[in-house]
Amino acid sequence: MELKKVAEGKTKIVYEYSSSYYLLRFKDSITAGDGARKDEMSGKGTLNARTSAVFFKLLEENSIKTHFVGVYDDNTLIVKRLKMIPVEVVLRNIATGSIVKRLPIKEGEVFDPPIVEFFLKDDLRHDPLLNYSHLRYFKLLTKEEAERIEEVMMKVNVVMRKFLEEKGLILYDFKLEFGKDENGELIIGDEITLDSMRVRDKDNRIYDKDLYRRGEALEVVRKAYEDFLNIISR
Ligand code: 5GP
């Protein structure tokens, strides 16, 4: 059966599936610098589809709503149709990445409570930071919706942190994207993978896409993604 493509991004393709569901296919592409660097890493689509399924199931088990319905094939998930909001929501437990470049904050500083930030999905402008006024001006989210999303981010953090902690892993930060279902309810969409979170172990081994961002060989990146999936699947 020929699947009708609805949308394609740097690392995923959305296809029509049924009147309520889409298929979300994970590609083998890996990118950094808002698409400035791009490679093919064989097996990555499967690794990221499986990693996402583990985390979506974990959230659903903890009564947090996501678009996850089930697994379609090795690199494809069945997901609920959502109208996605073009905003990346980031929660940070430990300072690294863009925040230490943007603000006078030292690498490794611990945020208690965690910091939540909103960014516009706009590669050309390198995903600029948004405040509540910007979110309202662009008709992306009302203040109430933004606050609701912050609550969900905190809840997700508690669940994911505990899950990873029990496996000897430390969750530095993660990014989620939200969409609205047919009732206008805000639900977690997109992916939850090593492309969208930072995880290290107690010995400071990096498992996530920072390896690729730092220029490590694709074999090293793939091994980290594989090891991580094995750890979280145990
Ligand atoms: P930072 O703002 O420090 O670059 O990223 C914070 C967190 O959000 C990291 O876990 C990073 O992987 C994730 N993140 C930020 N921007 C993007 C993006 O454009 N795509 C993906 N997949 N993740 C992102």
Side-chain angles (χ1 to χ4, degrees):
M1 185 184 67
E2 180 83 5
L3 294 169
K4 188 165 169 268
K5 199 189 279 188
V6 178
E8 177 162 5
K10 296 192 288 286
T11 60
K12 299 189 294 299
I13 308 174
V14 182
Y15 295 100
E16 299 261 2
Y17 187 53
S18 71
S19 58
S20 327
Y21 300 153
Y22 285 140
L23 292 180
L24 187 63
R25 179 155 293 161
F26 290 74
K27 303 196 271 190
D28 283 346
S29 316
I30 183 160
T31 71
D34 300 311
R37 244 175 71 228
K38 186 171 189 280
D39 283 288
E40 291 301 300
M41 187 169 106
S42 71
K44 176 178 182 266
T46 300
L47 289 164
N48 274 9
R50 289 195 184 147
T51 300
S52 276
V54 169
F55 284 109
F56 282 133
K57 279 181 202 160
L58 174 72
L59 297 187
E60 293 284 344
E61 281 161 18
N62 283 274
S63 310
I64 300 170
K65 288 197 175 167
T66 78
H67 68 162
F68 181 76
V69 176
V71 173
Y72 179 78
D73 66 20
D74 275 356
N75 54 358
T76 314
L77 305 182
I78 304 167
V79 297
K80 287 176 200 141
R81 285 184 183 229
L82 297 180
K83 193 171 181 308
M84 293 304 291
I85 296 155
V87 169
E88 297 187 343
V89 192
V90 170
L91 182 144
R92 301 178 190 274
N93 292 307
I94 304 175
T96 187
S98 72
I99 198 166
V100 301
K101 300 191 188 112
R102 230 180 318 118
L103 294 168
I105 294 172
K106 285 196 199 72
E107 182 86 27
E109 224 161 277
V110 174
F111 300 123
D112 186 16
I115 288 180
V116 179
E117 298 174 324
F118 297 87
F119 298 93
L120 183 66
K121 273 176 77 83
D122 184 338
D123 279 347
L124 285 176
R125 292 179 177 78
H126 303 294
D127 297 351
L129 186 71
L130 301 170
N131 65 23
Y132 290 163
S133 300
H134 299 132
L135 289 167
R136 184 180 53 220
Y137 175 76
F138 290 118
K139 295 190 168 52
L140 293 166
L141 295 168
T142 64
K143 184 159 186 269
E144 291 68 32
E145 287 172 333
E147 284 172 344
R148 169 80 192 119
I149 284 181
E150 286 171 337
E151 282 170 21
V152 175
M153 292 296 289
M154 292 293 190
K155 212 174 155 196
V156 169
N157 186 48
V158 169
V159 171
M160 294 210 338
R161 242 173 106 164
K162 179 165 174 281
F163 173 80
L164 292 169
E165 172 79 39
E166 284 167 2
K167 296 172 187 319
L169 299 171
I170 303 157
L171 180 60
Y172 276 59
D173 55 36
F174 62 91
K175 183 264 308 177
L176 296 180
E177 295 182 25
F178 290 77
K180 286 185 178 171
D181 68 8
E182 69 275 10
N183 305 315
E185 190 177 357
L186 281 164
I187 285 178
I188 298 168
D190 195 53
E191 66 182 281
I192 309 181
T193 67
L194 290 169
D195 286 15
S196 61
M197 70 173 91
R198 289 193 175 99
V199 181
R200 298 184 187 171
D201 68 14
K202 307 245 149 85
D203 303 323
N204 228 12
R205 175 178 178 197
I206 300 173
Y207 286 88
D208 57 76
K209 207 174 79 173
D210 272 356
L211 294 167
Y212 179 73
R213 294 186 185 104
R214 291 168 187 211
E216 290 285 353
L218 288 178
E219 209 32 68
V220 173
V221 185
R222 189 192 4 245
K223 180 78 170 57
Y225 277 49
E226 278 168 3
D227 289 351
F228 179 76
L229 179 60
N230 284 331
I231 295 170
I232 62 169
S233 303
R234 265 183 219 138

